[in-house]
Amino acid sequence: MKKVPKHLAIIPDGNRRWAKAHRFLPWQGHEVGVERIFECIEAAFREGVEHVTVWTGSYSNLESRTAKEVAVLFMLMQKSLSNPKLLK
């Protein structure tokens, strides 16, 4: 019998570095990161995890970003939170 945690926390890191390494804009890295988060959430639920928390940033973390990047991050959060997959 495998042990599965009841709660998983995801703290995304490296989306901008990934984007830079692939010659994308920072927010394109965040968009890809969101896709990977959903893949992780779906896999966690398939394995029996009951709760998943995703840390999306603190004030000080967002303060160091450009206005455009922050706007994209908030748009991605809004779009993600309205995703029907989350309502299952």
Side-chain angles (χ1 to χ4, degrees):
M1 180 175 198
K2 66 181 177 181
K3 290 187 176 185
V4 177
K6 289 186 178 195
H7 188 181
L8 173 70
I10 299 173
I11 303 172
D13 185 40
N15 292 328
R16 287 188 292 180
R17 286 188 300 275
W18 180 91
K20 185 177 180 180
H22 290 84
R23 298 187 176 159
F24 293 131
L25 297 170
W27 43 88
Q28 291 173 303
H30 296 306
E31 290 171 346
V32 172
V34 168
E35 292 172 17
R36 299 295 86 80
I37 286 171
F38 274 99
E39 290 172 6
C40 290
I41 291 170
E42 289 173 355
F45 287 146
R46 271 194 314 271
E47 292 298 318
V49 174
E50 295 176 20
H51 305 283
V52 176
T53 299
V54 179
W55 181 83
T56 56
S58 63
Y59 179 81
S60 62
N61 179 275
L62 296 172
E63 190 177 46
S64 66
R65 300 171 188 275
T66 66
K68 168 95 177 169
E69 187 176 4
V70 170
V72 171
L73 285 167
F74 276 93
M75 181 273 306
L76 288 169
M77 283 187 259
Q78 182 179 19
K79 184 178 173 184
S80 296
L81 291 172
S82 63
N83 187 328
K85 288 182 179 183
L86 291 176
L87 303 175
K88 288 183 182 178

